[in-house]
Amino acid sequence: MPTKITLGAFHTLGVGAKWYLTEDPMRYLDLQHWIDTVKGYEEAGLDFVFFADSYGYPVLHDHVIPLAVERGIQFPAADPTVLLTALAATTDRIGLVTTVSTMIEKPQTVARRFATLDHFTKGRVGWNVVTGSGQSASALLFGEELTAHDDRYARAEEHVQLSLELWEGSWEDDALKVDAETGTFTDSSKVHEVEHDGTFFKARGVLTVPPSPQRTPTLFQAGTSSRGRQFAADFAEAVFVAAEPDTVTKQIADIRDRLEANGRGRDAISILAAGTFFVAATHEEAVAKREAAVGRTSLEDAAVLYAYFTGLDLMSMDLDKPLAQTNSDQGQTNIDRFSGKDGAPALTVRQILEEFQRNSVMASPFVGDPIEVTDQAIAYIEATGADGFLLQPEVAGGQDDFLEFVLPELRRRGVLNESQPGLTLREQLFGAGNNRLPETHPGAAFRKNSIPA
């Protein structure tokens, strides 16, 4: 039996893959919709809501794929970061996590924005660090060359390091005085210029935002290629994984081994598995929901989605042979997933398309009545060593059904990590009193004469 299961809800500011089954496909641009949705998650006791983001969209041969535009596949989409201040004002417990790419934004911009958000949310903000998804489209949009996969991670490492220098090293904890009697707003001797002369970034100056409740936002990461897992072990505090249980078990063990080698401790990261739940009052109803969700996705649709994540054109390959290409600078996770790495079976192109047709980037869903699905979810946690789930949205079964049918059963069994008022997001994941990066995190090395948090 797991000790406590952490739960987050996944969203994008896009129409969603099954928009044609939705009463109002354009509600993703309705601010009140998101306020109501996230307030509902908070009332249900979820730990955080996560908004994925990318400037990319499905591209092949340096052009947007027309079928992606026609069918609404990873297109269109808006910017979720602008949501967070509204959500900060209308919630008081739930964590608010969003994606910002290290290929698009400079560290100085990211540090300033997230420090501000951490104040506005009272320490409930998290940054999902990505090197980019849909990277071919993003590079074309910004008029840049596509950067090699490992080079993107090298840039991301330096990006995060400079961000950490600004968050942790610019201000000492007691620098802010706000003393009207002496006219001293800040003790200038306790504010330090950061000097950075790196391969990708240069800086000399200070972060102008005073220290926030977490200082550094809680750091999330999602890439599970070998390079991505090392990046997670170096910097992340929470990691998203999505694969079948055998593969996830190996990935989690590898991440924890790398954490231990880094001196951070095997439990320094909370690992959340992507979970899609088709649950109803009866098993038969749940199966019907699952079939309805899969029914209208074609192999061509699946190929467009796969191209978004990898840059590979599966429809141009021999469908009955394994992948003709096993590396891509656009994205490696969903190539490794099917090419026999990490102990997973090597699939034919047709099998990959059929898997994406059924499950997209997710693992096989949990299907059944509330007791069945709760048993499946707990068994998954016990088998893989994951710390919880990132709940995936589905029109025919997903977060709402999970909240209605599964959450009460998990609560009855006493296995939930219940969201608590007054805690930062880092404390929600790692316990009260842990509002700052631990001393074992590399960011702690940038602190200057800080008093204990």
Side-chain angles (χ1 to χ4, degrees), residues 174-210:
D174 56 349
L176 195 64
K177 300 301 183 183
V178 197
D179 188 335
E181 185 174 335
T182 65
T184 304
F185 196 87
T186 306
D187 183 342
S188 61
S189 70
K190 294 179 180 293
V191 176
H192 307 279
E193 287 190 338
V194 167
E195 295 192 28
H196 182 95
D197 186 8
T199 303
F200 301 97
F201 304 106
K202 300 183 187 301
R204 186 177 66 195
V206 299
L207 177 65
T208 59
V209 184

Side-chain angles (χ1 to χ4, degrees), residues 127 129 153-164 216-221 227-239 259 262 264 268-269 426 437-438 440-443 446:
W127 173 25
V129 186
Y153 271 107
R155 178 186 174 97
E157 288 174 353
E158 188 180 328
H159 190 297
V160 173
Q161 287 171 350
L162 178 49
S163 298
L164 289 166
T216 294
T218 305
L219 300 174
F220 288 69
Q221 190 264 352
R227 195 70 180 78
R229 294 197 297 270
Q230 185 58 52
F231 182 85
D234 290 340
F235 298 106
E237 300 174 89
V239 169
L259 280 169
N262 280 356
R264 293 184 59 196
I269 288 179
R426 186 171 286 112
L437 288 173
T440 53
H441 192 282
F446 298 118

Side-chain angles (χ1 to χ4, degrees), residues 9-30:
F10 173 92
H11 284 286
T12 64
L13 240 64
V15 293
K18 306 294 180 183
W19 60 267
Y20 40 78
L21 299 176
T22 307
E23 289 184 7
D24 180 11
M26 297 305 293
R27 67 183 183 180
Y28 77 97
L29 293 175
D30 181 351

Side-chain angles (χ1 to χ4, degrees), residues 65 67 73 297-306 315 353 357:
I65 302 174
L67 188 61
I73 303 172
T297 302
S298 68
L299 290 185
E300 289 77 12
D301 293 341
V304 169
L305 190 60
Y306 193 80
M315 298 305 291
L353 286 170
Q357 183 183 37

